[in-house]
């Protein structure tokens, strides 16, 4: 009998209950007892939703982030975040730089660095280590949740991050190597397994997604050492890999002394199935093979009949040694389609969210165990939905495909090299040294969100809604002028999300009402659904930008989201290569860029926050991805005249290994996150002469902390050691929509004051404004 299980479930709540409870707790409006009660109830509901499965995950739920949870379990919370033995407060200090007890105080803790979980849009808190790091077991979180499952009669399978993947995520704060800590770490893992065995755990899922990446001999040896060490426990280990295929690590994985292996068989269908057949022959008769047969990262229905075609022979050979699951945790997809009443019925019939994916899994399991006749009607419904999608005339647009086929190399080239453009832009813009700006968005207040909801419900006419948005834009412009910022933005009050906003104005997209997924902490996003060929029926941003520009004599940036980010932050169609969809997006956004330029907008920012996020996990595939991704940006941006300054923004990414590709984007100015990393990301420029301007972020907008003038000046002084002062801009790490005005205004005031100090420090250096790259001095 095939066994069904799940690797993880969405945790924020179908109605974002955890998000609202967390934010209430952080404001001091809710007690820790109330927060933990909400968390426990969510776990109970989630287990109930998965009750058809044979094994349910425990420990996949998190109050903020699963990597931070593992750090807590291993006693690896930064000392600076420890709060008088209060575990929850320490936890949130590490995550946010502030805890509930810090509300109203000036206490400031440097939050842990945050980056993307492999190639997903989920952020994790980077564990910090040094040569002196010690680990101490704290199993209370897992044991508490296991106690809850016993009370509910649940077949529980705890989930933890494996020791090798954990060390690979760690960032040494000195010159040490994280892997040297393995000998200290393994005994703590062993203690954890012993603790789990003592409460009756039979199976433990240990996640090692590092197995789908390129591994050198040191990391391969570490896997062998770790699982040989942990093999003495009585707990059965299911070693889970996902987000890709094993390929050259297959022999390594097959030889590890574990009781079962989980493979992702959908990220690369053909290779994943080859891996499964190879492992079938390699595994001993007492080991289980878990196959990820349902896509845990995208929202399209699986082809259940085709899946059964290749599974049935394996099932006959493996029997109850065959386990079935989604490819990875369902954290990356929304909860359920049940409430999606406004979603187009045709598109809805093609989709499967978390609940529906578990139902697909159950159908496949039952078909294998009882025969296809037992679920014949379900299989027929599935086949009809897939046929409907393939035959839909809404999916293919011949005109769009003709335009993509007509793309030429010249469309991605600026008229002149940067050195010449910079002189022209300097004469036009007349910006000071260290120009100050923001990344685009300003606080999305409760009032703005309520206005948007009232308009959607028909309580406000379009004219009334637009008037309110204009008032908000006017307020935003006035505040920026009062602060003394050099380049302004309109604040994006009209935008619900930087990707969804554009998707709503493009043909080829559909939208859910409740399709929220967690990005980090309490931050949720609702990715649009890219189901067909993309075109732009009308202008998307021009009226708002022009209105904002009419209110000030300072330059107002046109704000757009780039094609790669729109692609990577959407649920993307799986019936054509991603690059084809990206080129379609590039042409659509290019039209908007040219309309902005024609209207006199002098600076246009095209955010590519997710460029690196789409980078394949295998280095051998990088150049192919970067080739079409960078070209898509260039097609979008490079149709403008030399006098138009193009900006782009990237957040929470390591750049060292792709810095040449970033330079090839040829944006006049790039802004990046550097405050949490203390400007360490600028190490990419130690051995690469980056030709254009750069704004290293000095204000960590993912923390409520307000940066001081001194801290900003210190960060910029570090930046000046690696980049010429005349190339530097001063800006926050990212957009400000998630912060409130009480935090934003003093932070930006300090940023402007820091820029003035830096200009005074540089005042003695006379710079000819005709050769200064994009700026003139204030002296």
């Amino acid at each position: 009998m095939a066994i069904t299980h799940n690797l993880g479930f969405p945790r924020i709540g179908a109605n974002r209950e955890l998000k609202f409870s967390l934010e209430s707790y952080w404001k001091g409006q809710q007690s820790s007892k109330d927060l933990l009660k909400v968390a426990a109830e969510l776990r109970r509901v989630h287990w109930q939703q998965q009750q058809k499965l044979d094994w349910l995950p425990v420990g996949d739920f998190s109050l903020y982030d699963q990597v931070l949870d593992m750090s807590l379990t291993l006693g690896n919370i930064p000392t600076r975040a420890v709060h008088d033995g209060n575990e929850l407060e320490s936890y949130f200090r590490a995550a946010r730089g502030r805890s509930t007890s810090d509300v109203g105080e000036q206490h400031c803790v440097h939050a842990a660095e945050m980056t993307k979980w492999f190639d997903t849009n989920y952020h994790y808190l980077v564990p910090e280590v040094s040569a002196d790091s010690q680990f101490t077991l704290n199993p209370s979180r897992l044991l508490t949740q296991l106690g809850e499952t016993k009370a509910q009669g649940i077949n529980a399978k705890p989930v933890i991050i494996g020791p090798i993947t954990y060390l690979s995520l760690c960032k040494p704060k000195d010159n040490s190597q994280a892997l040297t800590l393995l000998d200290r770490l393994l005994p703590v893992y062993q203690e954890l397994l012993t603790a789990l065995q003592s409460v009756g755990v039979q199976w433990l899922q240990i996640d090692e997604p590092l197995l789908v990446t390129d591994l050198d001999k040191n990391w391969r040896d570490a896997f062998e050492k770790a699982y040989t060490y942990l093999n003495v426990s009585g707990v059965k280990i299911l070693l889970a890999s996902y987000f890709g295929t094993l390929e050259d690590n297959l022999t390594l994985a097959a030889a590890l002394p574990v009781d079962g292996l989980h493979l992702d068989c959908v990220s690369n269908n053909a290779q994943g199935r080859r891996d499964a057949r190879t492992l079938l022959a390699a595994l001993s008769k007492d080991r289980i093979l878990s196959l990820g047969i349902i896509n845990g990262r995208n929202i399209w229905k699986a082809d259940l009949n085709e899946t059964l075609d290749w599974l049935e022979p394996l099932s006959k050979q493996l029997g109850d040694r065959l386990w079935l699951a989604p490819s990875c945790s369902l954290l990356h997809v929304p909860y359920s389609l049940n409430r999606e009443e406004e979603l187009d019925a045709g598109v809805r019939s093609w989709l499967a969210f978390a609940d529906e994916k578990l139902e697909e899994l159950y159908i496949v399991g039952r078909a294998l165990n009882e025969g296809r006749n037992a679920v014949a009607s379900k299989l027929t419904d599935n086949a009809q939905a897939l046929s409907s999608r393939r035959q839909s005339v809404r999916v293919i647009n011949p005109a769009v495909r003709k335009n993509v086929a007509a793309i030429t190399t010249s469309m991605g080239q600026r008229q002149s090299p940067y050195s010449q453009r910079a002189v022209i832009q300097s004469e036009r813009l007349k910006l000071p040294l260290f120009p100050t700006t923001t990344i685009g968005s300003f606080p999305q207040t409760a009032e703005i969100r309520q206005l948007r909801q009232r308009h959607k419900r028909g309580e406000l006419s379009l004219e009334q809604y637009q008037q309110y948005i204009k008032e908000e834009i006017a307020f935003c412009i006035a505040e920026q002028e009062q602060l003394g910022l050099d380049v302004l933005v309109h604040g994006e009050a009209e935008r619900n999300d930087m990707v969804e906003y554009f998707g709503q104005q493009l043909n080829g997209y559909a939208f859910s009402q409740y399709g929220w997924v967690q990005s980090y902490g309490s931050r949720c996003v609702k990715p649009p659904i890219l189901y067909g060929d993309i075109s732009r029926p009308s202008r998307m941003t021009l009226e708002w930008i022009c209105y904002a520009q009419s209110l000030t004599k300072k330059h107002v940036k046109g704000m757009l989201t780039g094609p790669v980010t729109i692609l990577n932050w959407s649920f993307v169609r799986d019936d054509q290569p991603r690059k084809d969809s990206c080129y379609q997006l590039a042409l659509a956004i290019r039209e908007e860029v040219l309309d902005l330029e024609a209207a006199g907008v002098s600076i246009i920012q095209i955010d590519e926050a997710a460029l690196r996020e789409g980078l394949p996990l295998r280095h051998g595939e990088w150049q192919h991805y970067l080739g079409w991704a960078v070209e898509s940006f260039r097609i979008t941006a490079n149709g403008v005249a030399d006098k138009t300054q193009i900006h782009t923004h990237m957040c929470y990414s390591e750049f060292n290994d792709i810095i040449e590709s970033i330079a090839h984007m040829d944006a006049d100015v790039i802004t990046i996150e550097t405050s949490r990393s203390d400007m360490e990301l600028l190490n990419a420029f130690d051995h690469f002469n980056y030709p254009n301007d750069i704004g290293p972020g000095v204000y960590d907008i993912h923390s409520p902390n307000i940066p001081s003038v001194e801290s900003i000046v210190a960060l910029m002084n570090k930046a000046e050691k690696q980049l010429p002062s005349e190339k530097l801009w001063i800006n926050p790490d990212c957009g400000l929509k998630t912060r409130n005005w009480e935090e934003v205004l003093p932070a930006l005031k300090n940023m402007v004051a820091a820029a003035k100090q830096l200009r005074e420090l540089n005042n003695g250096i006379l710079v000819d404004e005709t050769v200064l790259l994009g700026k003139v001095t204030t002296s």
Side-chain angles (χ1 to χ4, degrees):
M1 300 288 286
I3 304 298
T4 56
H5 70 113
N6 190 17
L7 275 64
F9 197 74
R11 58 205 182 206
I12 205 72
N15 297 303
R16 293 179 290 162
E17 296 93 333
L18 183 59
K19 166 188 173 65
F20 299 123
S21 186
L22 281 168
E23 292 172 355
S24 179
Y25 172 72
W26 293 335
K27 294 174 183 175
Q29 299 170 350
Q30 187 181 82
S31 69
S32 60
K33 182 179 178 180
D34 290 334
L35 172 62
L36 296 177
K37 183 178 178 180
V38 169
E41 175 60 16
L42 284 172
R43 290 192 292 268
R44 185 192 67 79
V45 171
H46 297 166
W47 287 323
Q48 188 175 40
Q49 289 176 261
Q50 302 171 77
Q51 62 185 349
K52 285 186 177 181
L53 305 182
D54 297 306
W55 291 95
L56 276 58
V58 177
D60 57 318
F61 182 90
S62 175
L63 288 174
Y64 201 98
D65 163 50
Q66 74 260 20
V67 180
L68 181 59
D69 287 355
M70 200 66 217
S71 294
L72 187 67
T73 300
L74 299 172
N76 189 35
I77 297 295
T79 303
R80 66 180 182 276
V82 175
H83 186 282
D84 299 329
N86 187 321
E87 184 177 288
L88 193 62
E89 297 289 87
S90 300
Y91 179 89
F92 286 126
R93 275 192 179 178
R96 308 174 64 245
R98 288 282 184 97
S99 64
T100 304
S101 59
D102 298 326
V103 172
E105 298 181 8
Q106 294 302 310
H107 185 85
C108 175
V109 170
H110 187 63
E113 195 173 334
M114 187 163 59
T115 193
K116 297 298 179 71
W117 175 244
F118 290 82
D119 59 348
T120 75
N121 187 31
Y122 176 81
H123 302 64
Y124 71 91
L125 277 302
V126 178
E128 298 174 13
V129 293
S130 68
D132 299 324
S133 289
Q134 302 292 329
F135 303 98
T136 307
L137 181 63
N138 176 5
S140 59
R141 178 184 64 90
L142 272 174
L143 295 179
T144 296
Q145 295 183 27
L146 283 167
E148 294 170 357
T149 63
K150 283 190 175 181
Q152 297 175 44
I154 289 169
N155 231 9
K157 171 173 56 70
V159 178
I160 62 172
I161 296 172
I164 310 305
T165 293
Y166 181 80
L167 286 177
S168 76
L169 303 176
C170 289
K171 184 171 186 177
K173 304 307 286 185
D174 51 19
N175 293 321
S176 63
Q177 298 294 318
L179 195 53
T180 63
L181 300 172
L182 183 60
D183 287 340
R184 293 182 210 164
L185 185 62
L186 288 179
V188 182
Y189 269 85
Q190 183 63 68
E191 286 183 63
L192 176 58
L193 267 64
T194 301
L196 295 176
Q197 182 188 28
S198 69
V199 295
V201 168
Q202 298 177 51
W203 278 97
L204 170 66
Q205 176 185 317
I206 301 185
D207 289 356
E208 291 282 14
L210 192 68
L211 277 169
V212 305
T213 67
D214 299 316
L215 298 176
D216 64 23
K217 185 177 185 302
N218 290 334
W219 288 98
R220 288 171 177 265
D221 291 346
F223 268 106
E224 293 178 357
K225 179 176 184 177
Y227 287 94
T228 299
Y229 185 98
L230 297 177
N231 191 38
V232 299
S233 169
V235 176
K236 293 182 179 180
I237 294 175
L238 174 66
L239 193 67
S241 64
Y242 44 78
F243 299 148
T245 51
L246 292 174
E247 300 179 27
D248 55 335
N249 296 327
L250 188 145
T251 302
L252 167 67
L256 294 176
V258 294
D259 301 280
L261 289 172
H262 172 80
L263 305 182
D264 177 344
C265 294
V266 297
S267 290
N268 179 338
N269 270 351
Q271 183 62 49
R273 294 179 182 188
R274 284 195 294 270
D275 285 356
R277 287 189 286 267
T278 303
L279 277 174
L280 177 63
L283 291 179
S284 60
K285 301 300 183 183
D286 59 342
R287 299 170 74 190
I288 69 106
L289 180 59
S290 170
L291 302 179
I293 60 168
I294 305 296
N295 195 327
R297 292 181 58 176
N298 213 333
I299 42 73
W300 305 104
K301 279 186 174 175
D303 188 333
L304 300 185
N305 285 290
E306 191 273 339
T307 299
L308 284 167
D309 288 343
W310 79 273
L311 278 180
E312 284 169 342
L314 296 180
S315 180
K316 290 178 181 178
Q317 291 179 266
L318 285 166
D320 60 6
R321 291 170 52 218
L322 174 63
W323 286 28
L324 304 173
S327 60
C328 61
S329 169
L330 297 177
L331 170 69
H332 309 284
V333 296
Y335 273 77
S336 175
L337 282 165
N338 287 340
R339 299 169 60 200
E340 297 295 343
E341 298 173 355
E342 295 183 12
L343 185 60
D344 177 272
V347 174
R348 187 181 187 277
S349 71
W350 306 337
L351 307 179
F353 290 176
D355 278 350
E356 292 75 30
K357 288 179 181 296
L358 294 180
E359 179 65 17
E360 288 181 328
L361 183 64
Y362 173 74
I363 292 169
V364 172
R366 192 175 171 197
L368 290 176
N369 293 334
E370 302 176 30
R372 296 198 193 193
N373 286 340
V375 288
S377 63
K378 300 286 188 182
L379 295 177
T380 299
D381 291 344
N382 175 261
Q384 290 175 346
L386 296 177
S387 176
S388 166
R389 182 183 173 200
R390 284 192 295 266
Q391 297 175 19
S392 175
V393 296
R394 302 168 59 195
V395 173
I396 305 299
N397 184 329
V400 170
R401 300 199 164 205
K402 182 179 180 181
N403 290 339
V404 170
I407 290 174
T408 62
T409 303
S410 63
M411 292 174 68
Q413 296 175 344
R414 293 293 291 268
Q415 295 175 359
S416 306
Y418 172 74
S419 58
Q420 296 177 27
R421 302 196 308 263
V423 175
I424 296 169
Q425 292 167 17
S426 174
E427 293 172 351
R428 182 186 190 189
L429 301 176
K430 294 182 168 53
L431 297 173
L433 195 66
F434 299 108
T436 56
T437 190
T438 65
I439 304 305
S441 61
F442 270 81
Q444 286 268 319
T445 63
E447 291 76 16
I448 292 174
R449 293 193 295 270
Q450 288 167 6
L451 285 172
R452 190 174 294 124
Q453 289 303 315
R454 290 179 62 195
H455 175 52
K456 285 183 178 180
R457 293 194 298 263
E459 298 171 9
L460 284 178
S461 68
L462 178 62
E463 292 74 17
Q464 290 172 315
Y465 173 69
Q466 290 178 336
Q467 182 57 40
Y468 281 123
I469 295 299
K470 284 185 175 181
E471 291 173 6
E472 188 65 30
I473 290 173
F475 170 77
C476 191
I477 292 293
E479 289 296 323
Q480 291 174 87
E481 287 202 316
Q482 180 69 28
L483 287 165
L485 289 164
D486 300 306
V487 174
L488 313 187
V489 296
H490 78 294
E492 303 180 13
E494 80 285 3
R495 304 184 189 183
N496 48 358
D497 177 82
M498 65 181 290
V499 172
E500 187 177 32
Y501 175 79
F502 288 94
Q504 286 175 336
Q505 301 181 76
L506 295 170
N507 293 328
Y509 268 102
F511 304 89
S512 63
Q513 290 173 270
Y514 305 102
W516 298 100
V517 294
Q518 185 181 21
S519 178
Y520 65 88
S522 69
R523 168 72 171 148
C524 300
V525 294
K526 189 150 57 68
I529 299 164
L530 198 172
Y531 71 85
D533 289 340
I534 302 155
S535 60
R536 185 194 76 145
S538 60
R539 296 178 300 192
M540 301 181 285
T541 67
L542 185 64
E543 286 73 15
W544 299 121
I545 302 300
C546 289
Y547 174 71
Q549 186 64 77
S550 73
L551 302 174
T552 180
K553 293 182 179 180
K554 291 190 173 184
H555 300 285
V556 177
K557 288 191 287 187
M559 298 301 306
L560 304 173
T561 304
V564 185
T565 296
I566 294 178
L567 182 84
N568 285 337
W569 286 356
S570 299
F571 288 124
V572 181
R573 57 192 294 189
D574 58 356
D575 60 342
Q576 71 175 16
R578 294 172 67 87
K579 70 179 181 66
D580 293 353
S581 295
C582 203
Y583 284 141
Q584 293 177 5
L585 283 163
L587 291 176
I589 305 301
R590 177 187 174 95
E591 292 175 5
E592 189 74 11
V593 169
L594 295 178
D595 278 348
L596 287 169
E597 182 184 49
V601 177
S602 55
I603 303 176
I604 302 172
Q605 180 171 311
I606 307 167
D607 289 340
E608 285 294 15
L611 178 79
R612 197 187 197 286
E613 179 180 306
L615 203 63
L617 297 178
R618 298 283 186 169
H619 285 76
E621 301 171 12
W622 281 19
Q623 282 309 120
H624 174 69
Y625 165 76
L626 288 170
W628 60 257
V630 170
E631 187 62 19
S632 294
F633 176 84
R634 290 173 63 96
I635 291 167
T636 301
N638 289 354
V640 299
D642 288 344
K643 66 179 182 178
T644 301
Q645 190 174 76
I646 296 293
H647 290 219
T648 191
H649 169 68
M650 298 180 185
C651 58
Y652 296 99
S653 294
E654 299 285 347
F655 299 106
N656 301 47
D657 45 9
I658 62 167
I659 188 63
E660 291 187 23
S661 294
I662 292 174
H664 188 57
M665 294 169 69
D666 201 22
D668 297 303
V669 182
I670 180 174
T671 54
I672 61 174
E673 179 277 331
T674 51
S675 67
R676 280 203 180 196
S677 65
D678 198 30
M679 291 287 168
E680 289 180 9
L681 287 178
L682 295 187
N683 291 339
F685 304 104
D686 284 344
H687 307 290
F688 184 84
N689 184 22
Y690 188 76
N692 303 6
D693 282 15
I694 186 164
V698 295
Y699 166 19
D700 175 14
I701 66 89
H702 294 88
S703 169
N705 294 336
I706 297 170
S708 66
V709 174
E710 293 75 18
S711 69
I712 294 172
V713 170
L715 285 172
M716 292 303 297
N717 285 338
K718 286 187 176 184
E720 286 183 278
K721 293 179 181 178
Q722 292 168 298
L723 292 163
S725 301
E726 62 269 16
K727 286 181 175 285
L728 292 171
W729 288 59
I730 301 182
N731 45 260
D733 278 344
C734 201
L736 300 167
K737 66 178 292 184
T738 60
R739 303 262 56 93
N740 60 58
W741 283 102
E742 291 75 20
E743 297 162 345
V744 164
L745 291 176
L748 294 182
K749 181 179 179 181
N750 289 348
M751 194 178 81
V752 171
K756 291 179 179 178
Q757 276 195 27
L758 289 162
R759 289 167 192 155
E760 291 173 1
L761 291 172
N762 284 267
N763 199 31
I765 304 174
L766 297 177
V767 184
D768 184 347
E769 69 179 53
T770 64
V771 297
L772 187 62
L773 299 182
K775 315 173 189 68
V776 295
T777 59
T778 55
S779 57

